[in-house]
Amino acid sequence: MAYHLLFAMFVWSYWKTIFTLPMNPSKEFHLSYAEKELLEREPRGEAHQEVLRRAAKDLPIYTRTMSGAIRYCDRCQLIKPDRCHHCSVCDKCILKMDHHCPWVNNCVGFSNYKFFLLFLAYSLLYCLFIVATDLQYFIKFWTNGLPDTQAKFHIMFLFFAAAMFSVSLSSLFGYHCWLVSKNKSTLEAFRSPVFRHGTDKNGFSLGFSKNMRQVFGDEKKYWLLPIFSSLGDGCSFPTCLVNQDPEQPSTPAGLNSTAKNPENHQFPAKPLRESQSHLLTDSQSWMEGSTNPGKCKTGMSNPALTMENET
């Protein structure tokens, strides 16, 4: 019963990981025909960026390139949402792209990342179950306790294969569990996202509980099933201020001075989307000034979405 249950869950999650199509940016991130023409006429440089800034002024975009420019995909001709990257294998932009996995011949991103994690978990349990049940016969093989038939070589091969896969899967699964706890993708672990206030390797981390819910959802009964339950729309994500992660050093005293300057305040310029505010329901309340609680307004519950006024 245990073997067939693990095998069924392994096949189910593997199937969902393979055949779930990666999600692409919605139409609002694609440039209009007039904007494309204008962009083609403008040379690379400040004029080129000015066109992109005007096109992105109403979009929930808070990350930039290393040089501080708007993230734009020339191949797909769209403004990249936060955590979106272009896959050279699929030749398209993938929402919250983690990596392109040759084992599943698919991109792992927002739409199937939960399925990929479950695939790793159930395949690891499946291999460990085989190792545990085959161990006694593996010992008998070396103590000459098995009948002298060809079956004993199958037992040895099965044990070694399952054990080696268990080692590799445990390291990969452990690494992705750490990524989930920090709300990072594989790409973000190698290159930290860049916000308007600078690079922040934990910019999307909301704490362990909320990070888990962002991938697995609020309904715990669906956590162990390869059924899509992730929170959000894949295009916008709540963020946190630099050094506001619980495992990071405390915020320098000088940082609080930005709250007094309306030009440099680190609150979102517009209300959060439903997918963002839902994740921040029980989070700490943030106010522009600790001595004046009357200035805390709707849509300002997330202080990390730094937005500068564009001209």
Side-chain angles (χ1 to χ4, degrees):
M1 289 293 294
Y3 172 85
H4 286 92
L5 177 61
L6 290 174
F7 179 74
M9 297 302 295
F10 159 70
V11 173
W12 187 9
S13 57
Y14 189 41
W15 179 276
K16 292 286 287 185
T17 306
I18 294 174
F19 293 102
T20 300
L21 296 177
M23 288 181 62
N24 310 120
S26 56
K27 292 182 179 180
E28 62 179 326
F29 292 91
H30 289 75
L31 297 182
S32 64
Y33 180 77
E35 289 171 335
K36 291 179 183 178
E37 281 193 332
L38 186 59
L39 201 63
E40 290 176 357
R41 290 198 302 265
E42 295 292 345
R44 294 283 181 176
E46 184 60 30
H48 191 273
Q49 276 297 302
E50 184 61 29
V51 175
L52 293 178
R53 278 197 291 266
R54 288 199 299 266
K57 64 179 181 180
D58 294 326
L59 297 177
I61 297 175
Y62 304 101
T63 56
R64 297 292 186 267
T65 64
M66 295 298 294
S67 62
I70 300 292
R71 298 172 66 243
Y72 177 73
C73 179
D74 293 309
R75 297 280 296 178
C76 301
Q77 293 187 319
L78 57 82
I79 297 174
K80 292 181 182 179
D82 293 343
R83 316 184 80 176
C84 174
H85 298 276
H86 185 88
C87 177
S88 58
V89 180
C90 299
D91 196 25
K92 60 180 67 175
C93 286
I94 308 298
L95 293 181
K96 197 186 176 183
M97 180 179 172
D98 188 87
H99 68 288
H100 186 93
C101 182
W103 292 91
V104 300
N105 192 32
N106 197 6
C107 255
V108 177
F110 176 75
S111 61
N112 61 351
Y113 187 64
K114 176 190 173 184
F115 306 149
F116 178 74
L117 284 174
L118 293 178
F119 158 62
L120 294 179
Y122 287 121
S123 58
L124 175 60
L125 291 175
Y126 181 60
C127 290
L128 290 176
F129 182 85
I130 293 175
V131 170
T133 54
D134 192 35
L135 179 60
Q136 57 176 323
Y137 303 103
F138 181 75
I139 295 175
K140 289 181 180 179
F141 172 84
W142 295 103
T143 57
N144 297 320
L146 288 179
D148 190 15
T149 63
Q150 291 185 351
K152 64 180 184 180
F153 295 102
H154 298 166
I155 291 175
M156 183 178 66
F157 174 78
L158 179 64
F159 181 86
F160 275 118
M164 287 188 295
F165 272 107
S166 297
V167 172
S168 59
L169 285 170
S170 61
S171 59
L172 183 59
F173 179 64
Y175 175 68
H176 279 278
C177 286
W178 176 79
L179 290 178
V180 172
S181 69
K182 290 295 186 179
N183 203 346
K184 295 181 180 181
S185 66
T186 300
L187 295 176
E188 291 167 352
F190 285 95
R191 177 178 294 180
S192 301
V194 180
F195 297 88
R196 298 300 294 267
H197 59 269
T199 302
D200 188 354
K201 64 180 181 179
N202 291 311
F204 292 106
S205 181
L206 307 174
F208 180 79
S209 177
K210 289 183 173 62
N211 293 343
M212 288 286 293
R213 286 164 51 196
Q214 195 169 95
V215 175
F216 292 96
D218 290 326
E219 298 290 336
K220 293 185 178 180
K221 60 183 179 181
Y222 297 126
W223 281 16
L224 300 181
L225 298 177
I227 299 174
F228 184 81
S229 58
S230 301
L231 299 181
D233 55 7
C235 293
S236 59
F237 300 90
T239 63
C240 69
L241 273 174
V242 179
N243 292 337
Q244 285 295 327
D245 187 273
E247 297 185 13
Q248 293 296 310
S250 59
T251 305
L255 186 62
N256 293 331
S257 61
T258 58
K260 299 178 182 179
N261 189 345
E263 296 297 328
N264 296 322
H265 70 79
Q266 305 215 12
F267 293 87
K270 52 181 176 293
L272 299 175
R273 288 188 171 190
E274 182 181 356
S275 61
Q276 295 176 311
S277 59
H278 177 66
L279 284 168
L280 298 169
T281 301
D282 299 324
S283 61
Q284 179 183 0
S285 298
W286 298 89
M287 296 185 298
E288 291 188 8
S290 58
T291 58
N292 191 353
K295 291 186 178 181
C296 183
K297 298 182 182 299
T298 304
M300 292 186 176
S301 59
N302 184 354
L305 303 178
T306 307
M307 201 66 177
E308 296 180 7
N309 296 326
E310 301 291 347
T311 57

